[in-house]
Amino acid sequence: MKKFVESIKEKYFSGLHGKIMKIVLILSAIMIVLFVGVTLTLLHALHNTIENVAKKESEIVEDSTKDAMMNTTYDSFVQTITWAADQIDDEFWIMCHDYYVLREQIEDVLKNPSNYPTRTLEPPRAENEGKYVLQFVCPDNYDKNNPGVTERLSRIANLEPMMSEIVRGNDGYTMDCFVALPDGAALTDDNLSAGKIDENGNVKSYDATTRDWFKGAVEKGDIYFSEDVMSHFYKIRELTWGLPVYVDGELMVVLNGSSPMTALEKKLNERNIGVTGFSVLISDKGHIVYSPKAGGELAQDEDNTHDIRVTANPSLASVVTKAVNQETGFSAVTLDGEDYYVAYAPVDTIGWTLMMFISEGELERDSIALQSKLSDASDNTLDEFDKYVKINAAVLLIGLFIVVLIIAHVISVRTKKALKPISTMTEEVKKMDSENMIFEMKEEYRTDNEIEVLAESFSDLSVRLDSSVREILKRTAKEERMNAEIDAASRIQLAMLPSLSESITSRKEFDIYANMVPAKHVGGDLYDFFLIDDNHLGIVVGDVSGKGISAALFMVLAKNTIQNQLMTYGTDVVTAVTEANKLLIRDNAAHLFVTAWIGVLTLDTGVLRFVDAGHELAAVSKGGKEFAVKMDNHSLVLGMLDRAEYMLNEVQLEDGDTIYLFTDGIVEAKNTDGELFKKERMLEALNKNPNLSPEELDKVVRDSVDMFVGDAEQFDDITSLVIRYYSNNNMN
């Protein structure tokens, strides 16, 4: 019994708590009736006040944190998808450009067959595996010995170096380069010879007319990209494209290239974000070209015939419809019953769309975790308070009036002290902005309870959020520096082009004007004009294959090399061009080539001697009459074949004759519908008033191009040179 009494004293009457209990016991008999009602009312009001303050503070922190994170996420996500789509679009644009250049060279072979010798067509051989070689494939029962059938391909075989460079220059992306006849026979340049041999050592049958790229290109009449298909030779999934070549309205051949789906998958997977993020490529028909999903609503069907826009999921169908319509945006979407965010942007060159998904939970995870901790801290505080109130309410029921007042005062002081760290945190959060996003721990927050846990959690979150923002700013600054370097290279490139010096403008035998507007990337167009001596004017217009810094450097090399050879050989244009070609091949580390129109005008006689090295045909106006495109002797491009032979063109210019030289950036300019400007529109612009000055003529053409293109992005340099000749009889 004695031990029991001592334990009661130790538990209830020791220390400060015991002193309070003794006072309460002495005065309880007097004051219990008076203070029961007042005490309970005050405690209830205090409980509601604390609960409302905690709830409002939690809502403020939740709203501010979620809004800040979602705004940052939206901007970053849209920038990421736009950058990723541009990178993939650049790859497709380079592929298209290379095949358009190859088509022009093949058109020259087909129009001028006598300029190209026939070559023996060799079948695939297993020992050539790994070597870039030209191979002949055809359907079963094909008459390979009929010279009328294979002669066309045997002359096109002279372009083997150009075909090899297209494949080799895009190593890892372009597997092969086909030239197919309408009867199914084809030439292919690749390093995959073994795949064309069956287990018996025989060459596999191949009918090009049965392939999607052949049928799609013929039906479209222009370059056509097929969706994911099974390779005929290599038993892999691949992406293919075809480009038809017509001469006088007749289909002569169809060009083809292919890229393994693994290369596209690698490109897409490199740009995924987060743990749950993944990318999907959608065609203009709403078909899934690539998806990493093996099942579910974004699984790729075997034959690529399902239009995802007709899916039963309304939110997914709505987003895909916007994406296929070439819009750029960001949206929430439900996918296989789970919530995701998706950003999408167009791949302009082929009219397809890149979509990037990430789960809603991953994006909002930090915000949800913070809110959960805030809610837990608030609930724990209220639970502790309720527990404390219940214990002290029992004491107050038997306490005295004075003791009740003292206890109420103590509770008030302790409550204010307990809430002070939260109030301080609220003020600190209000001060946070884009310049200062770090929430710093203070000694005041170290309370050894949930308030300290809350403060540490918010501090960690603010550090991660600040790091994310700085990383985004750092990435943006890096991109700006890269763009500045490209702009500087573009300005240097433009500075290398000649200006209208007094030595040129003072001549009465001619009036000349030239201009080059580069695309968004550093390009390879060039023009040049210079006096070889007092009676001879050199004229050059060219277009280097490829884009970027390497193309710009090769442009400078080509310009200086051609000029030097013309200054050396003068009117012997063929020799000058032949020597320039050899020098360019010798110094061509990047394996580029250049189309060029190179001429020398004798000023006192009007004789113009020139070589057309795979360049666009010139538009000519005789004596102020309408412009027309004039055929000439086409030769091979420069920088490709060191044994190339170049043919001379010679014309007699009369008083008032005008020549308009240009690169493919004018005739191949595209509007937002993907339609080409073409030579017909160029001639229409020139013939509005053929007697305008060279500068005015060029402005009329460029204004027409700008009006036609509209808001479409310029993907190639636009270069032109206009010269008008005046005979001695009419010189002032």
Side-chain angles (χ1 to χ4, degrees), residues 384-402:
E384 290 292 329
F385 180 76
D386 287 341
K387 181 179 179 181
Y388 182 81
V389 168
K390 290 177 181 178
I391 294 173
N392 287 276
V395 177
L396 289 173
L397 288 175
I398 59 174
L400 300 173
F401 179 74
I402 296 175

PDB file of all heavy atoms in Angstrom, residues 384-402:
ATOM      1  N   GLU A 384      -2.191  16.250 -30.763  1.00  0.00           N
ATOM      2  CA  GLU A 384      -1.512  16.547 -29.506  1.00  0.00           C
ATOM      3  C   GLU A 384      -2.278  17.576 -28.689  1.00  0.00           C
ATOM      4  O   GLU A 384      -2.388  17.478 -27.461  1.00  0.00           O
ATOM      5  CB  GLU A 384      -0.093  17.053 -29.796  1.00  0.00           C
ATOM      6  CG  GLU A 384       0.842  15.994 -30.335  1.00  0.00           C
ATOM      7  CD  GLU A 384       1.157  14.943 -29.292  1.00  0.00           C
ATOM      8  OE1 GLU A 384       1.185  15.279 -28.088  1.00  0.00           O
ATOM      9  OE2 GLU A 384       1.340  13.770 -29.680  1.00  0.00           O
ATOM     10  N   PHE A 385      -2.811  18.560 -29.392  1.00  0.00           N
ATOM     11  CA  PHE A 385      -3.560  19.603 -28.697  1.00  0.00           C
ATOM     12  C   PHE A 385      -4.829  19.030 -28.064  1.00  0.00           C
ATOM     13  O   PHE A 385      -5.178  19.340 -26.924  1.00  0.00           O
ATOM     14  CB  PHE A 385      -3.901  20.724 -29.676  1.00  0.00           C
ATOM     15  CG  PHE A 385      -4.676  21.854 -29.041  1.00  0.00           C
ATOM     16  CD1 PHE A 385      -4.055  22.784 -28.230  1.00  0.00           C
ATOM     17  CD2 PHE A 385      -6.049  21.961 -29.252  1.00  0.00           C
ATOM     18  CE1 PHE A 385      -4.778  23.809 -27.648  1.00  0.00           C
ATOM     19  CE2 PHE A 385      -6.771  22.987 -28.674  1.00  0.00           C
ATOM     20  CZ  PHE A 385      -6.140  23.915 -27.865  1.00  0.00           C
ATOM     21  N   ASP A 386      -5.545  18.181 -28.847  1.00  0.00           N
ATOM     22  CA  ASP A 386      -6.776  17.582 -28.317  1.00  0.00           C
ATOM     23  C   ASP A 386      -6.485  16.735 -27.077  1.00  0.00           C
ATOM     24  O   ASP A 386      -7.247  16.748 -26.091  1.00  0.00           O
ATOM     25  CB  ASP A 386      -7.438  16.719 -29.388  1.00  0.00           C
ATOM     26  CG  ASP A 386      -8.085  17.557 -30.473  1.00  0.00           C
ATOM     27  OD1 ASP A 386      -8.329  18.758 -30.223  1.00  0.00           O
ATOM     28  OD2 ASP A 386      -8.331  17.023 -31.573  1.00  0.00           O
ATOM     29  N   LYS A 387      -5.384  15.985 -27.142  1.00  0.00           N
ATOM     30  CA  LYS A 387      -5.013  15.156 -25.999  1.00  0.00           C
ATOM     31  C   LYS A 387      -4.734  16.018 -24.768  1.00  0.00           C
ATOM     32  O   LYS A 387      -5.162  15.712 -23.642  1.00  0.00           O
ATOM     33  CB  LYS A 387      -3.789  14.330 -26.375  1.00  0.00           C
ATOM     34  CG  LYS A 387      -3.319  13.394 -25.269  1.00  0.00           C
ATOM     35  CD  LYS A 387      -2.116  12.588 -25.751  1.00  0.00           C
ATOM     36  CE  LYS A 387      -1.615  11.663 -24.642  1.00  0.00           C
ATOM     37  NZ  LYS A 387      -0.436  10.890 -25.090  1.00  0.00           N
ATOM     38  N   TYR A 388      -4.000  17.089 -25.012  1.00  0.00           N
ATOM     39  CA  TYR A 388      -3.666  17.999 -23.912  1.00  0.00           C
ATOM     40  C   TYR A 388      -4.928  18.648 -23.331  1.00  0.00           C
ATOM     41  O   TYR A 388      -5.074  18.797 -22.116  1.00  0.00           O
ATOM     42  CB  TYR A 388      -2.702  19.058 -24.422  1.00  0.00           C
ATOM     43  CG  TYR A 388      -2.230  20.042 -23.375  1.00  0.00           C
ATOM     44  CD1 TYR A 388      -1.203  19.715 -22.495  1.00  0.00           C
ATOM     45  CD2 TYR A 388      -2.819  21.296 -23.269  1.00  0.00           C
ATOM     46  CE1 TYR A 388      -0.773  20.609 -21.533  1.00  0.00           C
ATOM     47  CE2 TYR A 388      -2.397  22.197 -22.298  1.00  0.00           C
ATOM     48  CZ  TYR A 388      -1.368  21.855 -21.442  1.00  0.00           C
ATOM     49  OH  TYR A 388      -0.954  22.745 -20.491  1.00  0.00           O
ATOM     50  N   VAL A 389      -5.845  19.021 -24.189  1.00  0.00           N
ATOM     51  CA  VAL A 389      -7.087  19.660 -23.737  1.00  0.00           C
ATOM     52  C   VAL A 389      -7.913  18.708 -22.866  1.00  0.00           C
ATOM     53  O   VAL A 389      -8.470  19.092 -21.835  1.00  0.00           O
ATOM     54  CB  VAL A 389      -7.918  20.139 -24.944  1.00  0.00           C
ATOM     55  CG1 VAL A 389      -9.326  20.533 -24.519  1.00  0.00           C
ATOM     56  CG2 VAL A 389      -7.244  21.339 -25.585  1.00  0.00           C
ATOM     57  N   LYS A 390      -8.003  17.452 -23.317  1.00  0.00           N
ATOM     58  CA  LYS A 390      -8.802  16.493 -22.554  1.00  0.00           C
ATOM     59  C   LYS A 390      -8.241  16.280 -21.149  1.00  0.00           C
ATOM     60  O   LYS A 390      -8.988  16.192 -20.157  1.00  0.00           O
ATOM     61  CB  LYS A 390      -8.857  15.171 -23.295  1.00  0.00           C
ATOM     62  CG  LYS A 390      -9.689  15.234 -24.566  1.00  0.00           C
ATOM     63  CD  LYS A 390      -9.650  13.909 -25.308  1.00  0.00           C
ATOM     64  CE  LYS A 390     -10.463  13.993 -26.598  1.00  0.00           C
ATOM     65  NZ  LYS A 390     -10.407  12.722 -27.366  1.00  0.00           N
ATOM     66  N   ILE A 391      -6.898  16.155 -21.061  1.00  0.00           N
ATOM     67  CA  ILE A 391      -6.288  15.952 -19.743  1.00  0.00           C
ATOM     68  C   ILE A 391      -6.541  17.145 -18.837  1.00  0.00           C
ATOM     69  O   ILE A 391      -6.935  17.013 -17.664  1.00  0.00           O
ATOM     70  CB  ILE A 391      -4.784  15.698 -19.890  1.00  0.00           C
ATOM     71  CG1 ILE A 391      -4.548  14.371 -20.615  1.00  0.00           C
ATOM     72  CG2 ILE A 391      -4.090  15.692 -18.534  1.00  0.00           C
ATOM     73  CD1 ILE A 391      -3.103  14.117 -20.961  1.00  0.00           C
ATOM     74  N   ASN A 392      -6.303  18.347 -19.395  1.00  0.00           N
ATOM     75  CA  ASN A 392      -6.452  19.545 -18.568  1.00  0.00           C
ATOM     76  C   ASN A 392      -7.899  19.918 -18.318  1.00  0.00           C
ATOM     77  O   ASN A 392      -8.214  20.568 -17.318  1.00  0.00           O
ATOM     78  CB  ASN A 392      -5.716  20.708 -19.217  1.00  0.00           C
ATOM     79  CG  ASN A 392      -4.206  20.586 -19.089  1.00  0.00           C
ATOM     80  OD1 ASN A 392      -3.619  20.956 -18.079  1.00  0.00           O
ATOM     81  ND2 ASN A 392      -3.586  20.032 -20.112  1.00  0.00           N
ATOM     82  N   ALA A 393      -8.799  19.457 -19.217  1.00  0.00           N
ATOM     83  CA  ALA A 393     -10.221  19.735 -18.979  1.00  0.00           C
ATOM     84  C   ALA A 393     -10.698  19.009 -17.723  1.00  0.00           C
ATOM     85  O   ALA A 393     -11.503  19.533 -16.933  1.00  0.00           O
ATOM     86  CB  ALA A 393     -11.039  19.308 -20.182  1.00  0.00           C
ATOM     87  N   ALA A 394     -10.188  17.763 -17.554  1.00  0.00           N
ATOM     88  CA  ALA A 394     -10.555  17.017 -16.350  1.00  0.00           C
ATOM     89  C   ALA A 394     -10.062  17.717 -15.087  1.00  0.00           C
ATOM     90  O   ALA A 394     -10.740  17.758 -14.046  1.00  0.00           O
ATOM     91  CB  ALA A 394      -9.981  15.615 -16.435  1.00  0.00           C
ATOM     92  N   VAL A 395      -8.838  18.296 -15.188  1.00  0.00           N
ATOM     93  CA  VAL A 395      -8.287  19.030 -14.047  1.00  0.00           C
ATOM     94  C   VAL A 395      -9.080  20.307 -13.790  1.00  0.00           C
ATOM     95  O   VAL A 395      -9.386  20.668 -12.634  1.00  0.00           O
ATOM     96  CB  VAL A 395      -6.806  19.348 -14.295  1.00  0.00           C
ATOM     97  CG1 VAL A 395      -6.231  20.181 -13.149  1.00  0.00           C
ATOM     98  CG2 VAL A 395      -6.023  18.060 -14.453  1.00  0.00           C
ATOM     99  N   LEU A 396      -9.443  21.001 -14.893  1.00  0.00           N
ATOM    100  CA  LEU A 396     -10.163  22.267 -14.747  1.00  0.00           C
ATOM    101  C   LEU A 396     -11.560  22.078 -14.155  1.00  0.00           C
ATOM    102  O   LEU A 396     -12.105  22.986 -13.508  1.00  0.00           O
ATOM    103  CB  LEU A 396     -10.261  22.960 -16.101  1.00  0.00           C
ATOM    104  CG  LEU A 396      -8.950  23.544 -16.639  1.00  0.00           C
ATOM    105  CD1 LEU A 396      -9.138  24.053 -18.050  1.00  0.00           C
ATOM    106  CD2 LEU A 396      -8.415  24.643 -15.744  1.00  0.00           C
ATOM    107  N   LEU A 397     -12.153  20.885 -14.412  1.00  0.00           N
ATOM    108  CA  LEU A 397     -13.483  20.631 -13.861  1.00  0.00           C
ATOM    109  C   LEU A 397     -13.479  20.623 -12.336  1.00  0.00           C
ATOM    110  O   LEU A 397     -14.507  20.873 -11.697  1.00  0.00           O
ATOM    111  CB  LEU A 397     -14.011  19.292 -14.394  1.00  0.00           C
ATOM    112  CG  LEU A 397     -14.412  19.273 -15.865  1.00  0.00           C
ATOM    113  CD1 LEU A 397     -14.794  17.861 -16.304  1.00  0.00           C
ATOM    114  CD2 LEU A 397     -15.580  20.229 -16.126  1.00  0.00           C
ATOM    115  N   ILE A 398     -12.331  20.309 -11.748  1.00  0.00           N
ATOM    116  CA  ILE A 398     -12.229  20.285 -10.275  1.00  0.00           C
ATOM    117  C   ILE A 398     -11.298  21.409  -9.783  1.00  0.00           C
ATOM    118  O   ILE A 398     -10.865  21.418  -8.622  1.00  0.00           O
ATOM    119  CB  ILE A 398     -11.721  18.913  -9.805  1.00  0.00           C
ATOM    120  CG1 ILE A 398     -10.349  18.577 -10.386  1.00  0.00           C
ATOM    121  CG2 ILE A 398     -12.701  17.816 -10.155  1.00  0.00           C
ATOM    122  CD1 ILE A 398      -9.733  17.294  -9.849  1.00  0.00           C
ATOM    123  N   GLY A 399     -10.964  22.330 -10.702  1.00  0.00           N
ATOM    124  CA  GLY A 399     -10.058  23.415 -10.327  1.00  0.00           C
ATOM    125  C   GLY A 399     -10.793  24.650  -9.847  1.00  0.00           C
ATOM    126  O   GLY A 399     -11.995  24.730  -9.858  1.00  0.00           O
ATOM    127  N   LEU A 400     -10.049  25.673  -9.504  1.00  0.00           N
ATOM    128  CA  LEU A 400     -10.542  26.946  -9.021  1.00  0.00           C
ATOM    129  C   LEU A 400     -10.454  28.006 -10.103  1.00  0.00           C
ATOM    130  O   LEU A 400      -9.756  27.850 -11.104  1.00  0.00           O
ATOM    131  CB  LEU A 400      -9.742  27.383  -7.794  1.00  0.00           C
ATOM    132  CG  LEU A 400      -9.794  26.420  -6.590  1.00  0.00           C
ATOM    133  CD1 LEU A 400      -8.828  26.879  -5.511  1.00  0.00           C
ATOM    134  CD2 LEU A 400     -11.192  26.300  -6.025  1.00  0.00           C
ATOM    135  N   PHE A 401     -11.155  29.142  -9.878  1.00  0.00           N
ATOM    136  CA  PHE A 401     -11.238  30.209 -10.867  1.00  0.00           C
ATOM    137  C   PHE A 401      -9.862  30.777 -11.197  1.00  0.00           C
ATOM    138  O   PHE A 401      -9.503  30.970 -12.357  1.00  0.00           O
ATOM    139  CB  PHE A 401     -12.157  31.305 -10.328  1.00  0.00           C
ATOM    140  CG  PHE A 401     -12.290  32.475 -11.255  1.00  0.00           C
ATOM    141  CD1 PHE A 401     -13.047  32.380 -12.401  1.00  0.00           C
ATOM    142  CD2 PHE A 401     -11.640  33.673 -10.971  1.00  0.00           C
ATOM    143  CE1 PHE A 401     -13.158  33.455 -13.252  1.00  0.00           C
ATOM    144  CE2 PHE A 401     -11.746  34.740 -11.826  1.00  0.00           C
ATOM    145  CZ  PHE A 401     -12.511  34.642 -12.983  1.00  0.00           C
ATOM    146  N   ILE A 402      -9.056  31.016 -10.163  1.00  0.00           N
ATOM    147  CA  ILE A 402      -7.751  31.620 -10.394  1.00  0.00           C
ATOM    148  C   ILE A 402      -6.846  30.657 -11.143  1.00  0.00           C
ATOM    149  O   ILE A 402      -6.110  31.041 -12.066  1.00  0.00           O
ATOM    150  CB  ILE A 402      -7.101  32.051  -9.066  1.00  0.00           C
ATOM    151  CG1 ILE A 402      -7.941  33.146  -8.390  1.00  0.00           C
ATOM    152  CG2 ILE A 402      -5.675  32.558  -9.302  1.00  0.00           C
ATOM    153  CD1 ILE A 402      -7.418  33.546  -7.009  1.00  0.00           C
TER     154      ILE A 402
END
